[in-house]
Amino acid sequence: MRTHLRFAVLFLITAFVFAGSSAQTFIHPGIDMCREDLELMKNKTLAGEQPWRGAFERLKAETPLSFEVKTYAHVISGPYGKPDIGGSDLSKGAVMAYNCAVLWYITKDKAYAEKAIEIIGKWSESLRSLDENNAKLLVALSGYKFCNAAEILRYTYPGWTENHTAAFTEMIMSVYYPLLRFYFPQANGNWDGAIMHTLLSIAIFTNDRLLFDNAVYHYLHGKANGSLIKYIFPNGQCQETTRDQGHVQMGLGEFAGAARIAYTQGVDLFSAGDNRLALGYEYTSRFLLGEDIFSYGEPSHRDKDLRNDYGIEYVYQHYKAQGIDMPYTRSICDKVRDKSSLILLTAFRAAFQGKTPEQRPLICSKIAYPAGALRVSDFKIPEGAIVVSPGDSLQQILDNEAGHKRTIFLKAGEYTLNKTLKIHSGTHLIGEGTKTVLMFTPSVRTAAIMAATPDMSDVVIENLIIEGAREHAAGFDPNAGRFERQRRYANNLAGISFRSEKNYSLSGITLRNLSVINFSRTGVYISGAKNVKIEACDFTENGTFVVPGPRLQHNLLLQRVDGGVVRDSRFDTSLHGAGVVLDHCRSLDLKDCEIARNAWHGVLLSECSGINISENLIEGNDGCGILSEFLYKGSSNLKIRKNRIRYNNGHGVEAFAVKNLSVSGNCYDRNGKLGAQEHLCSDLTLQMEKISVD
């Protein structure tokens, strides 16, 4: 029995979500192209039509039949190809096999088919293992090419035999599949995009519906960096936008490749998340073409070469057939089309030919967009403000101005502090947006910013960045810093921690256009306060594995807060916590916020009353979209309405023992594993069962 069948329970759960696809048998040939697509490609090429004929001629030039097949039993592929023992040979072999299979189908020249069989056969006989840093990625990037070649030959070339099928199946199931079956969402998202691309190919070639459905589920719900919703943000920005554009194009191409295969089999992943894939291509294409884009973090200008090898033509043609115009993507296609071969040749669906679809706009979410510190080039210094420059003693200035209620203006620059910053009552602290950054040395413990007195009141902090990472880097790999911050003994630092010694002794706290990012502990923690306002803020990448442990640190934690509003703000990508936690709070509104990609729940409520949660975008969280848990008496008077809640791994809304609960008008899309979008329960025994399962 195949090893992966021990995960049959998970796959069967997945089957409920995609019951329509699970009832079907696979189409063959049916990975990148079905038979009708292959025929379209062949007929257009032989008729001399462009762009098919030009792509065909380029493909022939790239595919010499004299290609020498060099195989290895044990392939070693290190970072950046060092060391490289057989890795480049495996990659070249996969490319050549697919090229030859396509050329066979067009020309019916048996020499191409036999060369593809030779390549596949020799690797099937030889390959036993892959190892080192890039082993998974190498397998993922070569697997779907091998599978496409084998699929075409198996169903169209008389010289392909059952012995070829058996040998190739043994290789992909005993060498390829074991490296990929657990995915690798801890890496940057292009890895899981490629892994899904190949797992879907393997599933179709081996007629494994359970594996197919598992990969489809992961595409929409994978944790960390593993899913489409994790990789492309609601504004189109990609997880690697601040890293470099070469990896972004690669990541988009791999997610597109996986969606393409699913579409061949009748499963539409292209439309997921309001055509999120198209949004990612348009956002990236716009930047590649030299236009300015809004980005959380500085978009990297590295590797901005326009590439033709990341599925851009197919993606453009697909969405064009759906009536969605992608002008920036179209412009890049026009620039790279005359350099493309296989990617262009295979980019057209027969089913899309001759149709004039109704035109539809590409939707970009405007909820909490943009949020955080402002990106404005020219700020006016408020009249009568105390002006502070980097290098000045900020704490001394705050102490001197305590009680005077004067505005303190922080000029652009990085302020590196070696002690916790203490905030007095009446403080109004304002910066020059993204140009003003507060940094903290490793000697600072517990919290970067705290209240100077337990009865602090009337405080406004706005329009600056509070940075928890060791450096505030422009254009960097966002995944790199996570490894450091996720360690158990990482710098144990929260961003803002305003905590009273008794209930509601803090009052009048306003945070506006504030970016609090990259803290190992909770980004913003306010306890025992009344009249709290959080407006247009960005609290992202806070809350890791540091002691006392996971699920205790979050992007925003409000505890025993009475009265206030949280609106137009962004609470994303807590690495081990929730987006927003409301604990023993009352009379609060949470509205018009983006709460996404957190490693636990989007919103967690405990023992609250009078909470209104409305018109938020809550997506891609690894727990529930919204969970109201029961601790000892439960919450009361909760209103959850008109939220867009989708692609969360738990229920869209789950609530236990809530008195006067109103859940209405929410828009749900593919939350959870069993299809039920809500779980509203008054039976406390079920809560205990849930705790034991978790």
Side-chain angles (χ1 to χ4, degrees):
M1 181 179 292
R2 295 174 184 168
T3 305
H4 70 272
L5 290 182
R6 64 188 174 130
F7 298 103
V9 173
L10 173 61
F11 295 168
L12 288 172
I13 287 173
T14 304
F16 282 98
V17 182
F18 299 100
S21 66
S22 297
Q24 303 172 13
T25 57
F26 285 121
I27 298 166
H28 294 292
I31 299 181
D32 279 356
M33 295 179 287
C34 65
R35 192 176 297 274
E36 291 76 13
D37 300 330
L38 288 164
E39 282 295 296
L40 173 73
M41 174 187 68
K42 181 185 72 174
N43 293 336
K44 292 288 188 181
T45 300
L46 296 180
E49 293 187 36
Q50 299 295 356
W52 290 268
R53 189 69 195 187
F56 168 74
E57 296 295 345
R58 289 188 289 274
L59 185 64
K60 281 181 63 179
E62 296 167 6
T63 314
L65 288 170
S66 59
F67 173 74
E68 183 179 350
V69 185
K70 187 177 182 181
T71 64
Y72 295 75
H74 304 286
V75 170
I76 307 296
S77 181
Y80 304 102
K82 297 178 182 179
D84 177 16
I85 303 173
S88 58
D89 293 288
L90 180 65
S91 182
K92 291 174 185 176
V95 170
M96 290 296 293
Y98 193 9
N99 287 0
C100 286
V102 168
L103 289 171
W104 140 254
Y105 195 88
I106 294 171
T107 66
K108 293 301 182 269
D109 184 342
K110 293 183 179 180
Y112 285 115
E114 290 299 325
K115 175 56 73 171
I117 289 175
E118 178 193 357
I119 296 167
I120 294 170
K122 286 186 175 180
W123 276 109
S124 297
E125 293 170 3
S126 304
L127 189 61
R128 296 295 177 265
S129 74
L130 293 97
D131 199 6
E132 252 282 9
N133 185 81
N134 279 9
K136 276 182 181 285
L137 189 59
L138 174 61
V139 165
L141 293 173
S142 62
Y144 57 81
K145 299 181 182 75
F146 274 132
C147 286
N148 267 291
E151 176 86 353
I152 292 171
L153 295 169
R154 183 181 183 182
Y155 293 100
T156 70
Y157 180 55
W160 180 276
T161 69
E162 285 304 310
N163 288 336
H164 295 129
T165 297
F168 180 65
T169 300
E170 182 176 357
M171 180 184 77
I172 59 175
M173 292 310 302
S174 63
V175 180
Y176 269 57
Y177 173 75
L179 271 172
L180 305 180
R181 57 183 165 174
F182 302 120
Y183 303 96
F184 196 46
Q186 298 83 1
N188 283 295
N190 67 79
W191 284 54
D192 265 20
I195 289 171
M196 289 181 283
H197 197 168
T198 282
L199 286 179
L200 288 166
S201 302
I202 291 173
I204 293 167
F205 187 82
T206 61
N207 287 296
D208 190 332
R209 175 60 63 174
L210 293 176
L211 178 57
F212 180 89
D213 285 345
N214 180 262
V216 167
Y217 188 86
H218 191 85
Y219 189 96
L220 298 174
H221 296 88
K223 296 183 178 182
N225 300 318
S227 73
L228 175 75
I229 304 301
K230 300 288 202 306
Y231 194 73
I232 305 175
F233 304 166
N235 67 333
Q237 180 178 343
C238 297
Q239 181 247 334
E240 297 182 277
T241 293
T242 58
R243 183 187 184 190
D244 66 70
Q245 301 312 308
H247 279 98
V248 170
Q249 292 177 79
M250 175 184 173
L252 288 170
E254 296 308 318
F255 276 97
R260 174 181 185 173
I261 293 169
Y263 199 86
T264 302
Q265 298 297 332
V267 177
D268 182 10
L269 298 177
F270 285 98
S271 62
D274 295 326
N275 302 296
R276 182 67 59 85
L277 191 62
L279 197 63
Y281 268 87
E282 275 294 271
Y283 178 97
T284 301
S285 296
R286 182 177 180 179
F287 184 58
L288 292 172
L289 291 169
E291 292 203 16
D292 290 333
I293 55 173
F294 176 88
S295 169
Y296 292 104
E298 187 69 24
S300 174
H301 287 265
R302 291 184 298 171
D303 299 335
K304 288 184 72 175
D305 294 338
L306 304 183
R307 296 173 54 174
N308 60 20
D309 61 346
Y310 70 108
I312 190 168
E313 183 76 50
Y314 175 82
V315 168
Y316 170 67
Q317 295 296 337
H318 178 95
Y319 284 110
K320 178 183 176 182
Q322 313 308 313
I324 297 173
D325 187 28
M326 300 171 66
Y328 295 103
T329 302
R330 179 177 66 246
S331 180
I332 291 184
C333 285
D334 292 343
K335 293 177 184 298
V336 302
R337 193 170 285 131
D338 62 355
K339 301 175 184 177
S340 186
S341 53
L342 181 74
I343 300 296
L344 176 60
L345 195 58
T346 62
F348 301 89
R349 290 272 187 206
F352 295 162
Q353 303 304 301
K355 294 185 177 180
T356 305
E358 181 180 350
Q359 296 300 299
R360 297 182 292 141
L362 184 58
I363 298 171
C364 176
S365 174
K366 298 300 181 183
I367 296 175
Y369 177 68
L374 298 173
R375 291 154 174 78
V376 179
S377 59
D378 184 23
F379 285 91
K380 292 183 179 179
I381 299 175
E383 185 176 348
I386 303 296
V387 179
V388 183
S389 299
D392 293 344
S393 176
L394 178 56
Q395 185 64 70
Q396 184 176 348
I397 293 171
L398 290 175
D399 293 343
N400 292 341
E401 295 301 320
H404 295 165
K405 296 186 177 180
R406 296 178 67 181
T407 298
I408 297 173
F409 182 80
L410 303 184
K411 294 185 69 175
E414 290 190 5
Y415 296 73
T416 302
L417 308 178
N418 57 18
K419 292 182 179 179
T420 296
L421 191 66
K422 302 291 183 67
I423 304 295
H424 297 275
S425 294
T427 297
H428 183 186
L429 196 64
I430 183 171
E432 290 194 66
T434 56
K435 297 179 181 179
T436 300
V437 183
L438 299 188
M439 306 282 296
F440 299 86
T441 63
S443 63
V444 180
R445 298 286 295 178
T446 306
I449 298 177
M450 299 180 71
T453 61
D455 60 350
M456 182 192 75
S457 63
D458 301 322
V459 166
V460 178
I461 304 176
E462 62 177 313
N463 208 20
L464 52 86
I465 295 174
I466 303 173
E467 173 67 79
R470 293 188 176 179
E471 60 179 331
H472 185 67
F476 77 113
D477 180 349
N479 213 37
R482 293 177 183 176
F483 291 110
E484 180 69 25
R485 297 198 305 279
Q486 288 193 94
R487 293 175 182 172
R488 183 181 176 191
Y489 296 109
N491 185 18
N492 213 338
L493 188 65
I496 295 175
S497 184
F498 291 156
R499 295 181 286 180
S500 68
E501 296 181 2
K502 56 183 180 180
N503 286 348
Y504 317 123
S505 63
L506 301 174
S507 65
I509 298 170
T510 298
L511 307 179
R512 184 183 301 117
N513 288 116
L514 196 63
S515 295
V516 182
I517 55 177
N518 302 325
F519 282 91
S520 295
R521 298 183 68 190
T522 293
V524 174
Y525 179 10
I526 300 176
S527 178
K530 55 186 178 182
N531 300 326
V532 172
K533 292 182 180 180
I534 297 174
E535 301 173 328
C537 289
D538 177 23
F539 303 161
T540 298
E541 296 265 354
N542 305 293
T544 66
F545 188 74
V546 295
V547 290
R551 298 185 177 181
L552 293 172
Q553 316 293 339
H554 315 284
N555 275 314
L556 173 64
L557 169 56
L558 300 182
Q559 182 183 67
R560 299 188 185 277
V561 169
D562 181 10
V565 62
V566 180
R567 65 187 178 199
D568 301 314
S569 295
R570 181 176 184 256
F571 307 101
D572 289 2
T573 324
S574 177
L575 302 183
H576 282 277
V580 176
V581 175
L582 305 180
D583 180 13
H584 290 80
C585 293
R586 60 195 190 195
S587 302
L588 280 175
D589 289 344
L590 174 64
K591 60 183 182 180
D592 297 313
C593 292
E594 177 187 307
I595 307 168
R597 303 184 300 281
N598 297 287
W600 199 20
H601 306 297
V603 181
L604 173 64
L605 302 101
S606 302
E607 311 295 317
C608 292
S609 65
I611 308 297
N612 297 318
I613 302 175
S614 62
E615 300 182 79
N616 302 284
L617 173 62
I618 306 173
E619 69 171 23
N621 299 289
D622 291 343
C624 296
I626 301 172
L627 172 64
S628 179
E629 65 176 348
F630 178 90
L631 295 181
Y632 67 100
K633 64 178 182 181
S635 296
S636 62
N637 300 315
L638 303 184
K639 292 183 179 179
I640 302 171
R641 59 187 181 85
K642 296 184 179 180
N643 300 281
R644 190 152 204 187
I645 307 174
R646 57 191 184 182
Y647 308 111
N648 301 287
N649 270 301
H651 291 94
V653 176
E654 186 165 25
F656 295 91
V658 177
K659 298 175 183 177
N660 298 324
L661 172 66
S662 174
V663 180
S664 64
N666 298 294
C667 180
Y668 299 111
D669 192 3
R670 286 183 273 198
N671 298 286
K673 298 180 176 68
L674 294 175
Q677 302 299 287
E678 297 178 353
H679 183 212
L680 311 178
C681 182
S682 60
D683 188 343
L684 300 186
T685 60
L686 291 180
Q687 170 71 346
M688 298 307 297
E689 290 175 6
K690 182 178 186 298
I691 290 172
S692 65
V693 170
D694 286 347

